[in-house]
Amino acid sequence: MDKSLRGKFAGSVGAGPSSAGGQAGPSGRGGGAGRGRGGAAGRGRGGAAAKAAEADDVDIASFKGLFNKDLRIMMFGFGDDMNPLDETVDLVEDIVLEYLTEVTLRAAAVSSDTLKPKMDEKDLLFIMRKDPAKFSRMKELLAMRQTLKEARQAFEGDVLPEGESGAVGAGAGAAAP
């Protein structure tokens, strides 16, 4: 959440940086023993957690408004008004963008710690391993993505019959050696 909204809603119940259950760390987030958002920044760990503390340095303004329409629909689905206040949608969007930035930076840090050139879904699964609900949902979505990919290939006729080898969708003129 950007600093202006953080200050604007600091007096609200449950919205302040220390409402997460711990002391505010150097980034202004709750970071003590509680299960608050952004707790990795104040726990004194090195490696991936320290790199994730840099989430405040990332400019997320370019993504502002990207989830606005989808968040309105989701908020209505979870019991909000059909047309929620713009300020509410902006606040939820700020929270979502902050969370996505933090998780992505943590996964990138894990990827760089393992000396991989690119971040992949295994890094995200590693980050989510301590939250069983998110971990299982992520595995379910990855399995669904694979199923849809295979179904799309079968529908397009790009799947090779058993026994043949070669690249899938190599082109019409490509011949196997």
PDB file of all heavy atoms in Angstrom, residues 57-78:
ATOM      1  N   ASP A  57      10.708  -0.671  -2.214  1.00  0.00           N
ATOM      2  CA  ASP A  57      11.486   0.060  -3.203  1.00  0.00           C
ATOM      3  C   ASP A  57      10.958  -0.145  -4.624  1.00  0.00           C
ATOM      4  O   ASP A  57      11.306   0.608  -5.515  1.00  0.00           O
ATOM      5  CB  ASP A  57      12.950  -0.372  -3.149  1.00  0.00           C
ATOM      6  CG  ASP A  57      13.572  -0.042  -1.803  1.00  0.00           C
ATOM      7  OD1 ASP A  57      13.054   0.859  -1.118  1.00  0.00           O
ATOM      8  OD2 ASP A  57      14.570  -0.690  -1.442  1.00  0.00           O
ATOM      9  N   VAL A  58      10.154  -1.162  -4.853  1.00  0.00           N
ATOM     10  CA  VAL A  58       9.633  -1.457  -6.174  1.00  0.00           C
ATOM     11  C   VAL A  58       8.482  -0.505  -6.483  1.00  0.00           C
ATOM     12  O   VAL A  58       7.596  -0.303  -5.667  1.00  0.00           O
ATOM     13  CB  VAL A  58       9.153  -2.927  -6.250  1.00  0.00           C
ATOM     14  CG1 VAL A  58       8.537  -3.213  -7.594  1.00  0.00           C
ATOM     15  CG2 VAL A  58      10.313  -3.863  -5.980  1.00  0.00           C
ATOM     16  N   ASP A  59       8.502   0.069  -7.675  1.00  0.00           N
ATOM     17  CA  ASP A  59       7.454   0.997  -8.077  1.00  0.00           C
ATOM     18  C   ASP A  59       6.271   0.195  -8.620  1.00  0.00           C
ATOM     19  O   ASP A  59       6.346  -0.375  -9.709  1.00  0.00           O
ATOM     20  CB  ASP A  59       7.986   1.959  -9.132  1.00  0.00           C
ATOM     21  CG  ASP A  59       6.946   2.965  -9.563  1.00  0.00           C
ATOM     22  OD1 ASP A  59       6.088   3.318  -8.724  1.00  0.00           O
ATOM     23  OD2 ASP A  59       6.986   3.391 -10.728  1.00  0.00           O
ATOM     24  N   ILE A  60       5.190   0.147  -7.858  1.00  0.00           N
ATOM     25  CA  ILE A  60       4.013  -0.591  -8.285  1.00  0.00           C
ATOM     26  C   ILE A  60       2.961   0.321  -8.891  1.00  0.00           C
ATOM     27  O   ILE A  60       1.874  -0.116  -9.231  1.00  0.00           O
ATOM     28  CB  ILE A  60       3.407  -1.424  -7.134  1.00  0.00           C
ATOM     29  CG1 ILE A  60       2.983  -0.542  -5.977  1.00  0.00           C
ATOM     30  CG2 ILE A  60       4.370  -2.501  -6.693  1.00  0.00           C
ATOM     31  CD1 ILE A  60       2.285  -1.290  -4.870  1.00  0.00           C
ATOM     32  N   ALA A  61       3.302   1.597  -9.055  1.00  0.00           N
ATOM     33  CA  ALA A  61       2.348   2.551  -9.617  1.00  0.00           C
ATOM     34  C   ALA A  61       1.984   2.201 -11.053  1.00  0.00           C
ATOM     35  O   ALA A  61       0.871   2.508 -11.506  1.00  0.00           O
ATOM     36  CB  ALA A  61       2.913   3.967  -9.544  1.00  0.00           C
ATOM     37  N   SER A  62       2.893   1.550 -11.775  1.00  0.00           N
ATOM     38  CA  SER A  62       2.597   1.193 -13.166  1.00  0.00           C
ATOM     39  C   SER A  62       1.528   0.110 -13.263  1.00  0.00           C
ATOM     40  O   SER A  62       0.914  -0.054 -14.312  1.00  0.00           O
ATOM     41  CB  SER A  62       3.872   0.743 -13.868  1.00  0.00           C
ATOM     42  OG  SER A  62       4.407  -0.390 -13.231  1.00  0.00           O
ATOM     43  N   PHE A  63       1.285  -0.622 -12.181  1.00  0.00           N
ATOM     44  CA  PHE A  63       0.268  -1.667 -12.173  1.00  0.00           C
ATOM     45  C   PHE A  63      -1.054  -1.187 -11.592  1.00  0.00           C
ATOM     46  O   PHE A  63      -2.023  -1.937 -11.531  1.00  0.00           O
ATOM     47  CB  PHE A  63       0.749  -2.882 -11.374  1.00  0.00           C
ATOM     48  CG  PHE A  63       1.955  -3.527 -11.979  1.00  0.00           C
ATOM     49  CD1 PHE A  63       3.203  -3.356 -11.412  1.00  0.00           C
ATOM     50  CD2 PHE A  63       1.856  -4.296 -13.121  1.00  0.00           C
ATOM     51  CE1 PHE A  63       4.328  -3.935 -11.956  1.00  0.00           C
ATOM     52  CE2 PHE A  63       2.959  -4.891 -13.678  1.00  0.00           C
ATOM     53  CZ  PHE A  63       4.205  -4.704 -13.103  1.00  0.00           C
ATOM     54  N   LYS A  64      -1.088   0.054 -11.159  1.00  0.00           N
ATOM     55  CA  LYS A  64      -2.294   0.620 -10.546  1.00  0.00           C
ATOM     56  C   LYS A  64      -3.446   0.588 -11.547  1.00  0.00           C
ATOM     57  O   LYS A  64      -3.307   1.008 -12.683  1.00  0.00           O
ATOM     58  CB  LYS A  64      -1.999   2.051 -10.106  1.00  0.00           C
ATOM     59  CG  LYS A  64      -3.030   2.625  -9.214  1.00  0.00           C
ATOM     60  CD  LYS A  64      -2.835   2.085  -7.833  1.00  0.00           C
ATOM     61  CE  LYS A  64      -3.810   2.802  -6.922  1.00  0.00           C
ATOM     62  NZ  LYS A  64      -4.338   1.938  -5.934  1.00  0.00           N
ATOM     63  N   GLY A  65      -4.581   0.074 -11.119  1.00  0.00           N
ATOM     64  CA  GLY A  65      -5.758   0.006 -11.976  1.00  0.00           C
ATOM     65  C   GLY A  65      -5.863  -1.279 -12.766  1.00  0.00           C
ATOM     66  O   GLY A  65      -6.880  -1.535 -13.415  1.00  0.00           O
ATOM     67  N   LEU A  66      -4.841  -2.111 -12.720  1.00  0.00           N
ATOM     68  CA  LEU A  66      -4.830  -3.356 -13.492  1.00  0.00           C
ATOM     69  C   LEU A  66      -5.897  -4.336 -13.011  1.00  0.00           C
ATOM     70  O   LEU A  66      -6.538  -5.011 -13.810  1.00  0.00           O
ATOM     71  CB  LEU A  66      -3.446  -3.999 -13.408  1.00  0.00           C
ATOM     72  CG  LEU A  66      -3.223  -5.272 -14.211  1.00  0.00           C
ATOM     73  CD1 LEU A  66      -3.308  -4.971 -15.699  1.00  0.00           C
ATOM     74  CD2 LEU A  66      -1.874  -5.865 -13.881  1.00  0.00           C
ATOM     75  N   PHE A  67      -6.118  -4.386 -11.692  1.00  0.00           N
ATOM     76  CA  PHE A  67      -7.062  -5.340 -11.121  1.00  0.00           C
ATOM     77  C   PHE A  67      -8.388  -4.694 -10.716  1.00  0.00           C
ATOM     78  O   PHE A  67      -9.217  -5.342 -10.082  1.00  0.00           O
ATOM     79  CB  PHE A  67      -6.446  -6.008  -9.883  1.00  0.00           C
ATOM     80  CG  PHE A  67      -5.174  -6.748 -10.179  1.00  0.00           C
ATOM     81  CD1 PHE A  67      -3.972  -6.331  -9.628  1.00  0.00           C
ATOM     82  CD2 PHE A  67      -5.173  -7.856 -10.996  1.00  0.00           C
ATOM     83  CE1 PHE A  67      -2.800  -7.005  -9.885  1.00  0.00           C
ATOM     84  CE2 PHE A  67      -4.007  -8.539 -11.263  1.00  0.00           C
ATOM     85  CZ  PHE A  67      -2.814  -8.110 -10.706  1.00  0.00           C
ATOM     86  N   ASN A  68      -8.595  -3.459 -11.056  1.00  0.00           N
ATOM     87  CA  ASN A  68      -9.750  -2.704 -10.597  1.00  0.00           C
ATOM     88  C   ASN A  68     -11.068  -3.391 -10.939  1.00  0.00           C
ATOM     89  O   ASN A  68     -11.904  -3.622 -10.064  1.00  0.00           O
ATOM     90  CB  ASN A  68      -9.705  -1.294 -11.192  1.00  0.00           C
ATOM     91  CG  ASN A  68     -10.557  -0.322 -10.438  1.00  0.00           C
ATOM     92  OD1 ASN A  68     -11.677  -0.629 -10.075  1.00  0.00           O
ATOM     93  ND2 ASN A  68     -10.008   0.858 -10.212  1.00  0.00           N
ATOM     94  N   LYS A  69     -11.262  -3.748 -12.190  1.00  0.00           N
ATOM     95  CA  LYS A  69     -12.518  -4.368 -12.625  1.00  0.00           C
ATOM     96  C   LYS A  69     -12.725  -5.729 -11.960  1.00  0.00           C
ATOM     97  O   LYS A  69     -13.810  -6.038 -11.467  1.00  0.00           O
ATOM     98  CB  LYS A  69     -12.514  -4.509 -14.146  1.00  0.00           C
ATOM     99  CG  LYS A  69     -13.765  -5.102 -14.709  1.00  0.00           C
ATOM    100  CD  LYS A  69     -13.686  -5.217 -16.224  1.00  0.00           C
ATOM    101  CE  LYS A  69     -14.883  -5.936 -16.783  1.00  0.00           C
ATOM    102  NZ  LYS A  69     -14.760  -6.146 -18.232  1.00  0.00           N
ATOM    103  N   ASP A  70     -11.670  -6.529 -11.938  1.00  0.00           N
ATOM    104  CA  ASP A  70     -11.764  -7.861 -11.343  1.00  0.00           C
ATOM    105  C   ASP A  70     -12.029  -7.791  -9.842  1.00  0.00           C
ATOM    106  O   ASP A  70     -12.795  -8.595  -9.301  1.00  0.00           O
ATOM    107  CB  ASP A  70     -10.485  -8.653 -11.608  1.00  0.00           C
ATOM    108  CG  ASP A  70     -10.255  -8.892 -13.093  1.00  0.00           C
ATOM    109  OD1 ASP A  70     -11.237  -9.163 -13.798  1.00  0.00           O
ATOM    110  OD2 ASP A  70      -9.094  -8.798 -13.528  1.00  0.00           O
ATOM    111  N   LEU A  71     -11.395  -6.848  -9.175  1.00  0.00           N
ATOM    112  CA  LEU A  71     -11.605  -6.711  -7.731  1.00  0.00           C
ATOM    113  C   LEU A  71     -13.037  -6.293  -7.413  1.00  0.00           C
ATOM    114  O   LEU A  71     -13.619  -6.754  -6.436  1.00  0.00           O
ATOM    115  CB  LEU A  71     -10.625  -5.714  -7.127  1.00  0.00           C
ATOM    116  CG  LEU A  71      -9.208  -6.234  -6.950  1.00  0.00           C
ATOM    117  CD1 LEU A  71      -8.289  -5.116  -6.501  1.00  0.00           C
ATOM    118  CD2 LEU A  71      -9.170  -7.381  -5.960  1.00  0.00           C
ATOM    119  N   ARG A  72     -13.611  -5.437  -8.232  1.00  0.00           N
ATOM    120  CA  ARG A  72     -15.007  -5.035  -8.022  1.00  0.00           C
ATOM    121  C   ARG A  72     -15.930  -6.256  -8.089  1.00  0.00           C
ATOM    122  O   ARG A  72     -16.825  -6.425  -7.260  1.00  0.00           O
ATOM    123  CB  ARG A  72     -15.434  -4.002  -9.063  1.00  0.00           C
ATOM    124  CG  ARG A  72     -14.843  -2.642  -8.845  1.00  0.00           C
ATOM    125  CD  ARG A  72     -15.296  -1.657  -9.929  1.00  0.00           C
ATOM    126  NE  ARG A  72     -14.638  -0.391  -9.765  1.00  0.00           N
ATOM    127  CZ  ARG A  72     -15.045   0.553  -8.920  1.00  0.00           C
ATOM    128  NH1 ARG A  72     -16.118   0.356  -8.191  1.00  0.00           N
ATOM    129  NH2 ARG A  72     -14.383   1.684  -8.808  1.00  0.00           N
ATOM    130  N   ILE A  73     -15.704  -7.098  -9.069  1.00  0.00           N
ATOM    131  CA  ILE A  73     -16.518  -8.306  -9.228  1.00  0.00           C
ATOM    132  C   ILE A  73     -16.306  -9.254  -8.051  1.00  0.00           C
ATOM    133  O   ILE A  73     -17.268  -9.821  -7.505  1.00  0.00           O
ATOM    134  CB  ILE A  73     -16.189  -8.997 -10.564  1.00  0.00           C
ATOM    135  CG1 ILE A  73     -16.604  -8.096 -11.732  1.00  0.00           C
ATOM    136  CG2 ILE A  73     -16.859 -10.359 -10.669  1.00  0.00           C
ATOM    137  CD1 ILE A  73     -16.081  -8.544 -13.083  1.00  0.00           C
ATOM    138  N   MET A  74     -15.060  -9.439  -7.649  1.00  0.00           N
ATOM    139  CA  MET A  74     -14.770 -10.326  -6.522  1.00  0.00           C
ATOM    140  C   MET A  74     -15.358  -9.793  -5.225  1.00  0.00           C
ATOM    141  O   MET A  74     -15.886 -10.556  -4.416  1.00  0.00           O
ATOM    142  CB  MET A  74     -13.260 -10.519  -6.384  1.00  0.00           C
ATOM    143  CG  MET A  74     -12.656 -11.349  -7.490  1.00  0.00           C
ATOM    144  SD  MET A  74     -10.871 -11.439  -7.406  1.00  0.00           S
ATOM    145  CE  MET A  74     -10.646 -12.334  -5.894  1.00  0.00           C
ATOM    146  N   MET A  75     -15.254  -8.487  -5.025  1.00  0.00           N
ATOM    147  CA  MET A  75     -15.809  -7.892  -3.809  1.00  0.00           C
ATOM    148  C   MET A  75     -17.317  -8.086  -3.763  1.00  0.00           C
ATOM    149  O   MET A  75     -17.883  -8.387  -2.709  1.00  0.00           O
ATOM    150  CB  MET A  75     -15.430  -6.414  -3.728  1.00  0.00           C
ATOM    151  CG  MET A  75     -13.955  -6.192  -3.427  1.00  0.00           C
ATOM    152  SD  MET A  75     -13.409  -4.484  -3.629  1.00  0.00           S
ATOM    153  CE  MET A  75     -14.306  -3.691  -2.308  1.00  0.00           C
ATOM    154  N   PHE A  76     -17.976  -7.932  -4.893  1.00  0.00           N
ATOM    155  CA  PHE A  76     -19.422  -8.165  -4.941  1.00  0.00           C
ATOM    156  C   PHE A  76     -19.727  -9.634  -4.653  1.00  0.00           C
ATOM    157  O   PHE A  76     -20.671  -9.957  -3.927  1.00  0.00           O
ATOM    158  CB  PHE A  76     -19.990  -7.754  -6.301  1.00  0.00           C
ATOM    159  CG  PHE A  76     -21.454  -8.038  -6.453  1.00  0.00           C
ATOM    160  CD1 PHE A  76     -22.394  -7.359  -5.689  1.00  0.00           C
ATOM    161  CD2 PHE A  76     -21.901  -8.993  -7.353  1.00  0.00           C
ATOM    162  CE1 PHE A  76     -23.744  -7.621  -5.821  1.00  0.00           C
ATOM    163  CE2 PHE A  76     -23.244  -9.261  -7.495  1.00  0.00           C
ATOM    164  CZ  PHE A  76     -24.171  -8.569  -6.725  1.00  0.00           C
ATOM    165  N   GLY A  77     -18.915 -10.519  -5.184  1.00  0.00           N
ATOM    166  CA  GLY A  77     -19.098 -11.945  -4.949  1.00  0.00           C
ATOM    167  C   GLY A  77     -18.928 -12.338  -3.495  1.00  0.00           C
ATOM    168  O   GLY A  77     -19.516 -13.304  -3.026  1.00  0.00           O
ATOM    169  N   PHE A  78     -18.120 -11.574  -2.765  1.00  0.00           N
ATOM    170  CA  PHE A  78     -17.902 -11.847  -1.353  1.00  0.00           C
ATOM    171  C   PHE A  78     -18.789 -11.016  -0.442  1.00  0.00           C
ATOM    172  O   PHE A  78     -18.556 -10.919   0.754  1.00  0.00           O
ATOM    173  CB  PHE A  78     -16.427 -11.645  -0.984  1.00  0.00           C
ATOM    174  CG  PHE A  78     -15.560 -12.801  -1.392  1.00  0.00           C
ATOM    175  CD1 PHE A  78     -14.756 -12.708  -2.515  1.00  0.00           C
ATOM    176  CD2 PHE A  78     -15.557 -13.975  -0.670  1.00  0.00           C
ATOM    177  CE1 PHE A  78     -13.966 -13.767  -2.901  1.00  0.00           C
ATOM    178  CE2 PHE A  78     -14.764 -15.042  -1.036  1.00  0.00           C
ATOM    179  CZ  PHE A  78     -13.967 -14.943  -2.160  1.00  0.00           C
TER     180      PHE A  78
END
